[in-house]
Amino acid sequence: MAAFMSLSEAIAANVRDGDTVAMEGFTHLIPYAAGHEVIRQKRQDLTLIRMTPDILYDQLIGMGQVKKLVFSWAGNPGVGSLHRMRDAVERGWPRKLEIEEHSHAAMANAFEAGAANLPFAVFRGYRGVDLPKVNPRIRSVTCPYTGEVLATVPAVRPDVTLIHAQRADREGNVLIEGIVGVQKEAVLAAKRSVVTVEEIVDDFGPRSTNAAILPAWTVSAVVKVPGGAHPSYAQGYYKRDNAFYIAWDAIARERETFLKWMEENVLAKGPEDFADYARRFAIAAE
């Protein structure tokens, strides 16, 4: 059953050197606070998995904590490249980064296969494209019933998944609303999971039709971290900090400015600072 912990306790108990780690959240509910605690605790030799790695993974890569990245798109959304990722891939700074690239469809199916405890995912895809030529883990299988040749990829089975969500109840059940992405599958596929939430409530109350509830038995640790998705957004709580995504391009472009920013804004701060972001970008009550 889910245990209620502080963020430092939850990361210390669930994220280990050499782990395969998924930090999921599609457009919103990206687990920045949890990722920053991984940085502060200096976890090393991580394999990171994410459909759309953006600024958070740029930070982890730039701090030298990542040996491999499994993904289907990477960039600073709406702005441009991830400069720390490019520096690692092109120049090996601060360490060489191995990459394994897939399509969105492949990643989504791989997470679902992992959640179902299957060894691989099978789907229609990768027809007429060159990605299988550079990724030997993309293979094919012939359907024994129709003879159709289908694409396959290994199931995603993280050691630990980190996500952010809107609410948890006092039993440890977790509510995700809005764009749910593959957060549910990422948690179900993992051996361990840490979920940061905006608030802990007695009852979830009314919810949108686009919502998912993770039962407490699927979650290892629940942590209350208001604002924990900033600079991404949490539907119903606060808006996306678009100015930060723009500012990151200049911050991350050079190694010195990046390291200085990380020292001042991640290493020297704690999860409680995210509450200030939540208040600053709070959605006005109607």
Side-chain angles (χ1 to χ4, degrees):
M1 300 298 289
F4 291 90
M5 301 181 177
S6 70
L7 187 55
S8 61
E9 291 171 336
I11 297 302
N14 291 286
V15 184
R16 302 157 190 172
D17 289 350
D19 271 355
T20 296
V21 185
M23 302 184 198
E24 273 297 345
F26 196 81
T27 303
H28 81 144
L29 298 177
I30 300 171
Y32 276 91
H36 284 185
E37 187 60 31
V38 173
I39 293 171
R40 283 190 290 270
Q41 294 194 17
K42 296 181 172 60
R43 293 295 182 266
Q44 299 297 319
D45 296 322
L46 302 176
T47 295
L48 295 186
I49 301 176
R50 181 169 155 79
M51 287 184 67
T52 56
D54 60 358
I55 291 173
L56 178 57
Y57 276 22
D58 208 30
Q59 294 170 352
L60 283 149
I61 291 167
M63 296 302 287
Q65 296 171 245
V66 186
K67 67 178 180 181
K68 181 177 179 179
L69 178 65
V70 182
F71 69 106
S72 52
W73 177 90
N76 183 347
V79 180
S81 293
L82 295 177
H83 299 298
R84 294 303 93 223
M85 176 183 171
R86 288 193 63 168
D87 206 3
V89 171
E90 296 173 0
R91 303 177 188 86
W93 190 93
R95 63 181 294 178
K96 183 178 179 181
L97 178 68
E98 180 184 352
I99 59 172
E100 181 183 320
E101 186 175 359
H102 291 277
S103 68
H104 275 354
M107 290 290 291
N109 278 280
F111 270 116
E112 188 168 1
N117 199 25
L118 294 171
F120 65 92
V122 57
F123 61 104
R124 291 186 177 93
Y126 289 127
R127 295 176 178 175
V129 299
D130 290 333
L131 198 54
K133 297 178 182 178
V134 297
N135 185 346
R137 291 171 69 77
I138 300 169
R139 302 181 186 178
S140 62
V141 66
T142 300
C143 175
Y145 305 104
T146 66
E148 181 181 6
V149 177
L150 300 166
T152 68
V153 291
V156 167
R157 299 299 305 273
D159 292 306
V160 59
T161 288
L162 312 179
I163 66 168
H164 189 74
Q166 280 95 341
R167 297 188 287 281
D169 67 18
R170 302 195 186 280
E171 295 181 353
N173 303 300
V174 173
L175 173 69
I176 307 170
E177 284 191 302
I179 303 173
V180 296
V182 293
Q183 289 100 309
K184 176 184 70 175
E185 290 81 3
V187 168
L188 294 177
K191 299 174 185 175
R192 305 178 298 277
S193 57
V194 176
V195 182
T196 55
V197 296
E198 293 296 322
E199 59 178 331
I200 297 171
V201 297
D202 293 322
D203 183 83
F204 291 138
R207 67 207 67 147
S208 69
T209 55
N210 194 31
I213 294 177
L214 292 169
W217 57 266
T218 67
V219 177
S220 303
V222 173
V223 185
K224 180 181 176 181
V225 187
H230 177 271
S232 73
Y233 71 98
Q235 179 173 302
Y237 289 82
Y238 46 88
K239 300 176 291 184
R240 187 178 190 264
D241 185 356
N242 292 317
F244 182 80
Y245 285 86
I246 296 171
W248 184 253
D249 188 71
I251 293 167
R253 190 172 291 272
E254 301 297 335
R255 298 171 184 176
E256 294 76 13
T257 54
F258 164 76
L259 290 172
K260 183 175 185 294
W261 190 92
M262 293 296 292
E263 177 63 39
E264 295 175 352
N265 295 278
V266 177
L267 298 179
K269 292 191 175 181
E272 63 279 356
D273 292 289
F274 279 84
D276 292 334
Y277 301 132
R279 287 189 289 268
R280 194 182 314 167
F281 293 92
I283 297 171
E286 296 182 357

